[in-house]
């Protein structure tokens, strides 16, 4: 019985550890990002505009109805709407994006290091999938149609592919004002400076010359 108080205190310590592990809630109505003034206190990596100077333009974005240019190599275009486009999103923990896909186009395997994502299909048919973490590395995939919704858990590798004959439009909502994106192929084969070819050759079990070629592509 003498150990019971110590067990209880240990349990409380664990609870407090988890409580302090998450981002704190904002203590003001908003913090409009002020990229022009770096000489003041920063909140979430950006300084706050004087709230008395905030206006509707700080919370507004126009143009999500415009189709993205999908003529690039992967056949898709992401139009982001995060804190870079709407300064008033700073500290609010949300953002979204429009994604356009040409027939056969893909959004290559990537992760969002700071956000989960919920994707809604506005038009077309889209194959989506994400991969669970080690050791299973299990692919969870589904073909979506107009009106369908799919969720990608935070930081897991995921992709999308247009499997129809027409264009696809999707809207993604993300649980961060600045979710970030790590496109796997670009990060691995296009890092600056490059990852040593010897490392990539062994990691991917590829010929050294092929690794060199892939690095030139990215």
């Amino acid at each position: 019985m003498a150990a019971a108080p110590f067990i209880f205190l240990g349990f409380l310590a664990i609870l407090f550890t988890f409580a302090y592990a998450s981002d704190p809630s904002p203590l003001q109505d908003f913090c409009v990002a002020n990229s022009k003034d770096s000489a003041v206190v920063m909140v979430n990596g950006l300084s706050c505009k004087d709230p008395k100077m905030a206006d509707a333009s700080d919370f507004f974005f126009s143009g999500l109805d415009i189709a993205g240019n999908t003529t690039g190599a992967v056949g898709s275009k992401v139009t982001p709407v995060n804190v870079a486009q709407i300064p008033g999103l700073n500290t609010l923990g949300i953002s979204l994006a429009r994604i356009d896909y040409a027939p056969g186009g893909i959004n290559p395997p990537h992760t969002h290091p700071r956000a989960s994502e919920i994707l809604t299909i506005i038009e077309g048919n889209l194959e989506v999938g994400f991969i669970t973490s080690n050791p299973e590395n299990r692919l969870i995939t589904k073909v979506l149609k107009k009106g369908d919704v799919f969720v990608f858990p935070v930081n897991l590798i995921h992709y999308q592919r247009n499997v129809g004959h027409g264009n696809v439009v999707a809207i993604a909502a993300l649980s961060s004002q600045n979710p970030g994106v790590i496109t796997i192929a670009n990060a691995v084969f296009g890092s600056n400076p490059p990852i040593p070819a010897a490392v990539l050759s062994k990691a991917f079990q590829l010929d050294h010359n092929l690794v060199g070629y892939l690095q030139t592509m990215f």
Side-chain angles (χ1 to χ4, degrees):
M1 295 296 293
F6 295 100
I7 295 173
F8 177 70
L9 289 174
F11 178 69
L12 285 179
I14 293 171
L15 286 180
F16 281 121
T17 299
F18 282 118
Y20 284 107
S22 60
D23 292 334
S25 298
L27 300 179
Q28 68 281 334
D29 288 342
F30 50 79
C31 169
V32 174
N34 181 6
S35 59
K36 297 179 181 178
D37 187 359
S38 60
V40 295
V41 175
M42 310 287 277
V43 178
N44 284 7
L46 295 164
S47 61
C48 294
K49 184 177 183 179
D50 184 340
K52 295 189 292 296
M53 302 298 293
D55 58 36
S57 66
D58 294 317
F59 303 91
F60 173 79
F61 174 87
S62 180
L64 216 58
D65 59 320
I66 300 172
N69 183 352
T70 59
T71 60
V74 297
S76 69
K77 174 64 176 179
V78 178
T79 303
V81 185
N82 55 45
V83 70
Q85 287 75 40
I86 303 181
L89 281 178
N90 193 37
T91 75
L92 300 187
I94 54 172
S95 61
L96 56 82
R98 170 180 173 142
I99 315 167
D100 291 272
Y101 311 80
I106 66 168
N107 192 3
H110 63 281
T111 72
H112 300 293
R114 295 179 289 275
S116 296
E117 174 182 345
I118 183 166
L119 187 80
T120 303
I121 307 303
I122 305 301
E123 198 65 54
N125 297 305
L126 192 71
E127 176 190 308
V128 300
F130 69 84
I131 302 167
T132 64
S133 56
N134 291 342
E136 291 85 5
N137 294 321
R138 187 163 63 96
L139 174 63
I140 295 176
T141 184
K142 187 172 181 62
V143 174
L144 308 179
K145 65 182 185 305
K146 181 178 180 179
D148 287 348
V149 176
F150 196 83
V151 172
F152 303 103
V154 61
N155 224 347
L156 294 186
I157 295 174
H158 57 283
Y159 74 93
Q160 299 105 37
R161 178 169 67 109
N162 183 349
V163 292
H165 299 292
N167 294 333
V168 173
V169 180
I171 298 293
L174 301 113
S175 60
S176 170
Q177 68 191 42
N178 185 20
V181 61
I182 301 172
T183 305
I184 307 305
N186 299 52
V188 171
F189 294 104
S191 66
N192 185 22
I195 298 174
V199 173
L200 297 180
S201 295
K202 183 164 288 190
F204 288 93
Q205 296 295 290
L206 295 175
D207 178 80
H208 190 280
N209 292 330
L210 179 56
V211 168
Y213 169 75
L214 290 171
Q215 288 180 316
T216 64
M217 294 295 292
F218 291 95

mmCIF file of all heavy atoms in Angstrom, residues 184-212:
data_model
loop_
_atom_site.group_PDB
_atom_site.id
_atom_site.type_symbol
_atom_site.label_atom_id
_atom_site.label_comp_id
_atom_site.label_asym_id
_atom_site.label_seq_id
_atom_site.Cartn_x
_atom_site.Cartn_y
_atom_site.Cartn_z
ATOM 1 N N ILE A 184 7.915 12.462 -51.569
ATOM 2 C CA ILE A 184 8.933 11.451 -51.274
ATOM 3 C C ILE A 184 10.031 11.418 -52.329
ATOM 4 O O ILE A 184 11.229 11.479 -52.010
ATOM 5 C CB ILE A 184 8.291 10.055 -51.139
ATOM 6 C CG1 ILE A 184 7.138 10.091 -50.119
ATOM 7 C CG2 ILE A 184 9.343 9.030 -50.743
ATOM 8 C CD1 ILE A 184 7.521 10.626 -48.760
ATOM 9 N N ALA A 185 9.671 11.320 -53.606
ATOM 10 C CA ALA A 185 10.684 11.226 -54.656
ATOM 11 C C ALA A 185 11.570 12.464 -54.681
ATOM 12 O O ALA A 185 12.798 12.366 -54.781
ATOM 13 C CB ALA A 185 10.009 11.018 -56.010
ATOM 14 N N ASN A 186 10.950 13.645 -54.581
ATOM 15 C CA ASN A 186 11.725 14.889 -54.601
ATOM 16 C C ASN A 186 12.671 14.972 -53.414
ATOM 17 O O ASN A 186 13.826 15.389 -53.545
ATOM 18 C CB ASN A 186 10.788 16.100 -54.577
ATOM 19 C CG ASN A 186 9.864 16.145 -55.776
ATOM 20 O OD1 ASN A 186 9.187 15.173 -56.065
ATOM 21 N ND2 ASN A 186 9.828 17.252 -56.469
ATOM 22 N N ALA A 187 12.171 14.585 -52.236
ATOM 23 C CA ALA A 187 12.988 14.689 -51.032
ATOM 24 C C ALA A 187 14.163 13.721 -51.063
ATOM 25 O O ALA A 187 15.287 14.065 -50.697
ATOM 26 C CB ALA A 187 12.123 14.431 -49.795
ATOM 27 N N VAL A 188 13.912 12.493 -51.528
ATOM 28 C CA VAL A 188 14.950 11.464 -51.498
ATOM 29 C C VAL A 188 15.972 11.667 -52.610
ATOM 30 O O VAL A 188 17.188 11.609 -52.381
ATOM 31 C CB VAL A 188 14.311 10.062 -51.600
ATOM 32 C CG1 VAL A 188 15.384 8.999 -51.785
ATOM 33 C CG2 VAL A 188 13.494 9.769 -50.350
ATOM 34 N N PHE A 189 15.492 11.930 -53.830
ATOM 35 C CA PHE A 189 16.406 12.013 -54.970
ATOM 36 C C PHE A 189 16.755 13.459 -55.353
ATOM 37 O O PHE A 189 17.635 13.662 -56.186
ATOM 38 C CB PHE A 189 15.817 11.293 -56.177
ATOM 39 C CG PHE A 189 15.693 9.820 -55.981
ATOM 40 C CD1 PHE A 189 14.459 9.245 -55.732
ATOM 41 C CD2 PHE A 189 16.816 8.999 -56.015
ATOM 42 C CE1 PHE A 189 14.340 7.874 -55.536
ATOM 43 C CE2 PHE A 189 16.707 7.630 -55.819
ATOM 44 C CZ PHE A 189 15.468 7.071 -55.574
ATOM 45 N N GLY A 190 16.100 14.433 -54.739
ATOM 46 C CA GLY A 190 16.367 15.816 -55.101
ATOM 47 C C GLY A 190 16.817 16.688 -53.956
ATOM 48 O O GLY A 190 16.725 17.915 -54.043
ATOM 49 N N SER A 191 17.312 16.078 -52.878
ATOM 50 C CA SER A 191 17.741 16.875 -51.722
ATOM 51 C C SER A 191 18.962 17.724 -52.082
ATOM 52 O O SER A 191 19.708 17.411 -53.008
ATOM 53 C CB SER A 191 18.074 15.967 -50.535
ATOM 54 O OG SER A 191 19.208 15.161 -50.833
ATOM 55 N N ASN A 192 19.148 18.787 -51.338
ATOM 56 C CA ASN A 192 20.276 19.701 -51.573
ATOM 57 C C ASN A 192 20.992 19.983 -50.254
ATOM 58 O O ASN A 192 20.418 20.610 -49.370
ATOM 59 C CB ASN A 192 19.762 21.012 -52.175
ATOM 60 C CG ASN A 192 20.898 21.959 -52.548
ATOM 61 O OD1 ASN A 192 22.021 21.535 -52.734
ATOM 62 N ND2 ASN A 192 20.600 23.244 -52.609
ATOM 63 N N PRO A 193 22.241 19.481 -50.092
ATOM 64 C CA PRO A 193 23.011 18.673 -51.048
ATOM 65 C C PRO A 193 22.439 17.257 -51.157
ATOM 66 O O PRO A 193 21.647 16.846 -50.309
ATOM 67 C CB PRO A 193 24.417 18.660 -50.434
ATOM 68 C CG PRO A 193 24.192 18.848 -48.974
ATOM 69 C CD PRO A 193 23.020 19.769 -48.848
ATOM 70 N N PRO A 194 22.843 16.515 -52.193
ATOM 71 C CA PRO A 194 22.263 15.189 -52.429
ATOM 72 C C PRO A 194 22.612 14.200 -51.318
ATOM 73 O O PRO A 194 23.683 14.266 -50.703
ATOM 74 C CB PRO A 194 22.900 14.756 -53.760
ATOM 75 C CG PRO A 194 23.460 15.988 -54.371
ATOM 76 C CD PRO A 194 23.810 16.900 -53.245
ATOM 77 N N ILE A 195 21.692 13.268 -51.077
ATOM 78 C CA ILE A 195 22.018 12.112 -50.240
ATOM 79 C C ILE A 195 23.059 11.282 -50.999
ATOM 80 O O ILE A 195 22.928 11.080 -52.202
ATOM 81 C CB ILE A 195 20.759 11.266 -49.971
ATOM 82 C CG1 ILE A 195 19.718 12.084 -49.202
ATOM 83 C CG2 ILE A 195 21.111 9.989 -49.204
ATOM 84 C CD1 ILE A 195 18.391 11.363 -49.032
ATOM 85 N N PRO A 196 24.115 10.815 -50.344
ATOM 86 C CA PRO A 196 25.122 10.031 -51.066
ATOM 87 C C PRO A 196 24.496 8.875 -51.832
ATOM 88 O O PRO A 196 23.637 8.148 -51.319
ATOM 89 C CB PRO A 196 26.043 9.529 -49.942
ATOM 90 C CG PRO A 196 25.906 10.561 -48.872
ATOM 91 C CD PRO A 196 24.468 11.014 -48.922
ATOM 92 N N ALA A 197 24.940 8.698 -53.083
ATOM 93 C CA ALA A 197 24.394 7.645 -53.937
ATOM 94 C C ALA A 197 24.581 6.267 -53.313
ATOM 95 O O ALA A 197 23.744 5.372 -53.499
ATOM 96 C CB ALA A 197 25.054 7.699 -55.315
ATOM 97 N N ALA A 198 25.665 6.087 -52.563
ATOM 98 C CA ALA A 198 25.912 4.789 -51.920
ATOM 99 C C ALA A 198 24.811 4.461 -50.915
ATOM 100 O O ALA A 198 24.408 3.297 -50.770
ATOM 101 C CB ALA A 198 27.271 4.804 -51.225
ATOM 102 N N VAL A 199 24.320 5.487 -50.231
ATOM 103 C CA VAL A 199 23.235 5.281 -49.264
ATOM 104 C C VAL A 199 21.956 4.886 -49.987
ATOM 105 O O VAL A 199 21.267 3.926 -49.612
ATOM 106 C CB VAL A 199 23.012 6.563 -48.427
ATOM 107 C CG1 VAL A 199 21.775 6.413 -47.544
ATOM 108 C CG2 VAL A 199 24.235 6.863 -47.574
ATOM 109 N N LEU A 200 21.618 5.627 -51.056
ATOM 110 C CA LEU A 200 20.385 5.348 -51.789
ATOM 111 C C LEU A 200 20.454 4.011 -52.505
ATOM 112 O O LEU A 200 19.452 3.284 -52.592
ATOM 113 C CB LEU A 200 20.103 6.472 -52.777
ATOM 114 C CG LEU A 200 19.848 7.847 -52.155
ATOM 115 C CD1 LEU A 200 19.583 8.881 -53.244
ATOM 116 C CD2 LEU A 200 18.677 7.794 -51.186
ATOM 117 N N SER A 201 21.631 3.657 -53.030
ATOM 118 C CA SER A 201 21.780 2.372 -53.711
ATOM 119 C C SER A 201 21.472 1.215 -52.772
ATOM 120 O O SER A 201 20.762 0.269 -53.135
ATOM 121 C CB SER A 201 23.207 2.215 -54.262
ATOM 122 O OG SER A 201 23.477 3.163 -55.258
ATOM 123 N N LYS A 202 21.985 1.305 -51.557
ATOM 124 C CA LYS A 202 21.758 0.222 -50.601
ATOM 125 C C LYS A 202 20.331 0.256 -50.068
ATOM 126 O O LYS A 202 19.686 -0.791 -49.907
ATOM 127 C CB LYS A 202 22.763 0.326 -49.446
ATOM 128 C CG LYS A 202 22.649 -0.802 -48.428
ATOM 129 C CD LYS A 202 23.872 -0.896 -47.552
ATOM 130 C CE LYS A 202 25.065 -1.438 -48.329
ATOM 131 N NZ LYS A 202 26.209 -1.767 -47.438
ATOM 132 N N ALA A 203 19.805 1.450 -49.813
ATOM 133 C CA ALA A 203 18.461 1.566 -49.248
ATOM 134 C C ALA A 203 17.395 1.058 -50.210
ATOM 135 O O ALA A 203 16.447 0.371 -49.800
ATOM 136 C CB ALA A 203 18.176 3.024 -48.880
ATOM 137 N N PHE A 204 17.539 1.381 -51.507
ATOM 138 C CA PHE A 204 16.539 1.001 -52.500
ATOM 139 C C PHE A 204 16.945 -0.225 -53.304
ATOM 140 O O PHE A 204 16.205 -0.650 -54.195
ATOM 141 C CB PHE A 204 16.273 2.172 -53.451
ATOM 142 C CG PHE A 204 15.504 3.297 -52.818
ATOM 143 C CD1 PHE A 204 16.161 4.366 -52.230
ATOM 144 C CD2 PHE A 204 14.119 3.270 -52.794
ATOM 145 C CE1 PHE A 204 15.457 5.401 -51.640
ATOM 146 C CE2 PHE A 204 13.403 4.295 -52.209
ATOM 147 C CZ PHE A 204 14.064 5.371 -51.630
ATOM 148 N N GLN A 205 18.137 -0.775 -53.007
ATOM 149 C CA GLN A 205 18.641 -1.940 -53.745
ATOM 150 C C GLN A 205 18.659 -1.655 -55.246
ATOM 151 O O GLN A 205 18.177 -2.443 -56.069
ATOM 152 C CB GLN A 205 17.798 -3.175 -53.435
ATOM 153 C CG GLN A 205 17.854 -3.619 -51.982
ATOM 154 C CD GLN A 205 19.261 -4.096 -51.597
ATOM 155 O OE1 GLN A 205 19.708 -5.143 -52.045
ATOM 156 N NE2 GLN A 205 19.952 -3.333 -50.756
ATOM 157 N N LEU A 206 19.225 -0.497 -55.611
ATOM 158 C CA LEU A 206 19.311 -0.058 -57.000
ATOM 159 C C LEU A 206 20.768 0.049 -57.424
ATOM 160 O O LEU A 206 21.657 0.269 -56.597
ATOM 161 C CB LEU A 206 18.637 1.311 -57.176
ATOM 162 C CG LEU A 206 17.130 1.387 -56.929
ATOM 163 C CD1 LEU A 206 16.666 2.829 -57.018
ATOM 164 C CD2 LEU A 206 16.377 0.513 -57.925
ATOM 165 N N ASP A 207 20.991 -0.085 -58.723
ATOM 166 C CA ASP A 207 22.319 0.117 -59.285
ATOM 167 C C ASP A 207 22.763 1.557 -59.047
ATOM 168 O O ASP A 207 21.966 2.495 -59.129
ATOM 169 C CB ASP A 207 22.295 -0.194 -60.783
ATOM 170 C CG ASP A 207 23.643 0.057 -61.440
ATOM 171 O OD1 ASP A 207 24.519 -0.810 -61.327
ATOM 172 O OD2 ASP A 207 23.794 1.136 -62.051
ATOM 173 N N HIS A 208 24.049 1.749 -58.773
ATOM 174 C CA HIS A 208 24.598 3.064 -58.475
ATOM 175 C C HIS A 208 24.344 4.049 -59.616
ATOM 176 O O HIS A 208 23.999 5.218 -59.386
ATOM 177 C CB HIS A 208 26.095 2.933 -58.194
ATOM 178 C CG HIS A 208 26.723 4.171 -57.652
ATOM 179 N ND1 HIS A 208 27.102 5.237 -58.449
ATOM 180 C CD2 HIS A 208 27.045 4.526 -56.378
ATOM 181 C CE1 HIS A 208 27.624 6.180 -57.700
ATOM 182 N NE2 HIS A 208 27.596 5.773 -56.433
ATOM 183 N N ASN A 209 24.469 3.609 -60.848
ATOM 184 C CA ASN A 209 24.249 4.485 -61.997
ATOM 185 C C ASN A 209 22.785 4.903 -62.122
ATOM 186 O O ASN A 209 22.484 6.034 -62.513
ATOM 187 C CB ASN A 209 24.690 3.793 -63.292
ATOM 188 C CG ASN A 209 26.193 3.613 -63.350
ATOM 189 O OD1 ASN A 209 26.947 4.417 -62.796
ATOM 190 N ND2 ASN A 209 26.633 2.535 -63.996
ATOM 191 N N LEU A 210 21.879 3.987 -61.785
ATOM 192 C CA LEU A 210 20.455 4.318 -61.833
ATOM 193 C C LEU A 210 20.123 5.372 -60.775
ATOM 194 O O LEU A 210 19.341 6.294 -61.030
ATOM 195 C CB LEU A 210 19.610 3.058 -61.619
ATOM 196 C CG LEU A 210 18.091 3.265 -61.616
ATOM 197 C CD1 LEU A 210 17.617 3.937 -62.902
ATOM 198 C CD2 LEU A 210 17.364 1.936 -61.406
ATOM 199 N N VAL A 211 20.723 5.250 -59.603
ATOM 200 C CA VAL A 211 20.525 6.263 -58.564
ATOM 201 C C VAL A 211 20.991 7.629 -59.055
ATOM 202 O O VAL A 211 20.311 8.645 -58.882
ATOM 203 C CB VAL A 211 21.270 5.873 -57.272
ATOM 204 C CG1 VAL A 211 21.308 7.048 -56.293
ATOM 205 C CG2 VAL A 211 20.594 4.671 -56.616
ATOM 206 N N GLY A 212 22.155 7.654 -59.709
ATOM 207 C CA GLY A 212 22.661 8.906 -60.251
ATOM 208 C C GLY A 212 21.710 9.507 -61.267
ATOM 209 O O GLY A 212 21.481 10.725 -61.290
#
